[in-house]
Amino acid sequence: MFELPIIWEWIGFAVRWVHVITAIAWIGSSFYFIALDLGLRRDGDLGGADGEEWQVHGGGFYHVRKYLVAPSEMPDHLTWFKWESYSTWLSGFALLMVIYWVGGELYLVDSHKSDITLFQGILISAGSLSIGWLIYNFLCRSGMKEYPTLLMFLLFCLLVVMGWGLNQVFTGRAMMLHLGAFTATIMTANVFFIIMPNQRIVVADLKAGRKPDPKYGKIAKLRSTHNNYLTLPVIFLMLSNHYPLAFATEYNWVIAALVFLMGVTIRHFFNTMHARGGMKWWTWCVTAILFILIMWLSTAGMSGRTLEETEAAIPPEGQRFAQAEGFDEVTDIVLGRCSMCHAREPFFDGIHRAPKGVILETPGEIAAHAQAIYVQSGATHAMPPANVSWMEEAERAKVVAWFNAGS
């Protein structure tokens, strides 16, 4: 019960749970306020407000008004929306450290792409989260802020370059995740460094009896709009680690780029609809074409490493498990019970790509995935699913004994 791998699995699960909960809260409030802002009615006597909206939910009626700068007097109770964003980023960063820093030898650095050390990979990982914000913030503060469409295009180019660059040193799975974390960092930094400080300036002016400058609201709205268009791609990238057709492909960084375009087309449809600008059905046609292109790219040009290229290689992180007592027996067990799915060319009906991109065809690959094999088929009965390959209890016991010997 108190073995480190088991504790670590539960820590990862707990942090992921918190991350998903806070992300739901942040995305929900973001989508709600964008829809509210676009749907405001601006006719009738608004008492100095820019727009208003009547809504019904949960058996009650809500009357919402928006002021371009601020109301004439500071209200006694003011709700700030910030902790949803901060909590999402902090929990996501913790999850990144748990999976991609602690488990970096397996999930972060791809030794076949570069010869950097794990420590260097972690430095690149941490640095990649900040460099994007610095470049993006510079562009937003430059003359580009007067050309929002051009600014979004430059941000898209930055994301494409970052995806390609990360793919030169990281595994495809890590590239996707870090591109999502890189984008989420921009979004949270927008809230922390721009949106919230600008709102505090407006509140301070109101309390001091000064007339707030409308530019602060304009700047905050631009950053909030950027966050709105980036949300859907970030969700895709965070979920991509479950789908090897997205990350374990030759053109995974191109797939990531197309996902950002899909996020724009989808949000444009809903944003236009909420603004009462009609239904832009053409956006769904573009989205479908982009998705079809992504499906084609997921198998195009697949070369990968052949079985012969990896047959004799045992990576450094797997050496102690390869030398542990019982390794030969466990290798035979995995090859007989697991490799029909976890193969370069799976031959189990209905499986076309190895689940999560995990290949278990050589001793080196089996040794490298020792902890995952132990957790999935030793400590638990998660694998094989529904025990379709009839893995026996005695075989599971041998997996446990081997892992303990190597640990």
Side-chain angles (χ1 to χ4, degrees):
M1 175 179 178
F2 297 106
E3 296 175 3
L4 181 58
I6 303 300
I7 295 173
W8 200 249
E9 282 289 316
W10 277 109
I11 290 175
F13 191 1
V15 175
R16 190 184 299 273
W17 189 24
V18 172
H19 185 52
V20 170
I21 291 171
T22 54
I24 290 172
W26 184 18
I27 294 169
S29 63
S30 173
F31 281 7
Y32 170 74
F33 278 106
I34 287 291
L36 175 65
D37 185 70
L38 293 172
L40 290 172
R41 298 184 179 276
R42 293 174 169 83
D43 50 348
D45 183 13
L46 302 178
D50 174 60
E52 68 174 356
E53 179 79 338
W54 282 91
Q55 299 179 348
V56 59
H57 180 74
F61 292 86
Y62 298 82
H63 186 199
V64 184
R65 287 191 171 190
K66 176 187 176 180
Y67 295 82
L68 279 178
V69 180
S72 57
E73 296 182 3
M74 186 66 190
D76 294 331
H77 302 287
L78 186 62
T79 301
W80 297 75
F81 290 86
K82 55 182 180 178
W83 289 111
E84 299 92 339
S85 173
Y86 302 162
S87 300
T88 300
W89 190 89
L90 290 171
S91 59
F93 183 65
L95 189 60
L96 182 145
M97 290 191 293
V98 168
I99 297 177
Y100 291 92
W101 290 10
V102 177
E105 291 179 326
L106 186 59
Y107 296 122
L108 181 64
V109 177
D110 190 331
S111 59
H112 292 83
K113 294 179 180 178
S114 66
D115 58 357
I116 64 173
T117 64
L118 175 58
F119 180 70
Q120 290 172 325
I122 292 174
L123 291 180
I124 294 174
S125 169
S128 69
L129 301 183
S130 58
I131 186 66
W133 159 252
L134 295 175
I135 298 174
Y136 164 77
N137 190 50
F138 171 78
L139 292 173
C140 286
R141 291 179 180 275
S142 69
M144 290 293 100
K145 63 177 179 289
E146 302 300 330
Y147 306 95
T149 302
L150 178 59
L151 181 58
M152 282 295 291
F153 174 75
L154 292 176
L155 175 58
F156 172 72
C157 292
L158 173 63
L159 292 166
V160 173
V161 171
M162 181 62 71
W164 177 85
L166 291 173
N167 196 50
Q168 304 310 302
V169 293
F170 287 170
T171 64
R173 170 175 169 166
M175 180 277 293
M176 287 283 200
L177 187 283
H178 278 77
L179 191 57
F182 163 79
T183 308
T185 299
I186 290 178
M187 295 168 65
T188 297
N190 273 338
V191 176
F192 185 80
F193 292 113
I194 305 298
I195 297 174
M196 293 307 300
N198 284 5
Q199 290 178 338
R200 291 190 185 99
I201 292 173
V202 171
V203 170
D205 285 343
L206 280 172
K207 289 182 176 180
R210 299 186 296 268
K211 183 178 180 180
D213 191 331
K215 74 174 184 179
Y216 295 111
K218 182 180 179 181
I219 294 172
K221 183 177 180 180
L222 175 65
R223 301 298 183 101
S224 182
T225 301
H226 289 172
N227 283 6
N228 177 254
Y229 278 99
L230 292 173
T231 298
L232 295 183
V234 168
I235 295 174
F236 180 98
L237 294 170
M238 295 308 180
L239 293 175
S240 66
N241 69 92
H242 296 282
Y243 299 92
L245 280 173
F247 70 81
T249 67
E250 190 78 12
Y251 300 107
N252 46 22
W253 64 277
V254 181
I255 289 175
L258 295 178
V259 167
F260 279 101
L261 295 180
M262 284 189 6
V264 171
T265 56
I266 294 171
R267 288 310 305 162
H268 183 67
F269 174 85
F270 286 104
N271 289 343
T272 304
M273 180 184 69
H274 291 145
R276 301 184 182 88
M279 304 288 192
K280 304 295 184 181
W281 296 112
W282 62 266
T283 60
W284 290 109
C285 295
V286 175
T287 302
I289 292 172
L290 290 171
F291 191 68
I292 291 171
L293 183 57
I294 286 173
M295 289 193 290
W296 175 74
L297 285 171
S298 68
T299 57
M302 284 296 291
S303 55
R305 294 182 288 276
T306 65
L307 184 61
E308 291 73 21
E309 290 173 328
T310 58
E311 194 166 26
I314 297 180
E317 66 272 15
Q319 289 291 343
R320 59 193 175 100
F321 290 105
Q323 297 167 3
E325 183 180 353
F327 177 62
D328 290 339
E329 283 187 290
V330 169
T331 297
D332 290 338
I333 292 170
V334 172
L335 291 175
R337 307 298 188 184
C338 310
S339 296
M340 67 280 294
C341 295
H342 291 280
R344 286 160 181 76
E345 296 182 5
F347 54 88
F348 192 88
D349 288 343
I351 303 295
H352 305 288
R353 288 290 183 278
K356 288 199 172 184
V358 175
I359 307 295
L360 300 174
E361 288 189 298
T362 69
E365 291 162 343
I366 293 171
H369 290 86
Q371 181 167 318
I373 292 171
Y374 164 69
V375 171
Q376 298 287 333
S377 62
T380 71
H381 289 191
M383 293 291 166
N387 203 17
V388 292
S389 59
W390 300 94
M391 191 171 189
E392 299 175 358
E393 290 301 319
E395 293 174 322
R396 296 185 189 277
K398 289 179 180 180
V399 169
V400 173
W402 161 68
F403 182 81
N404 288 336
S407 299

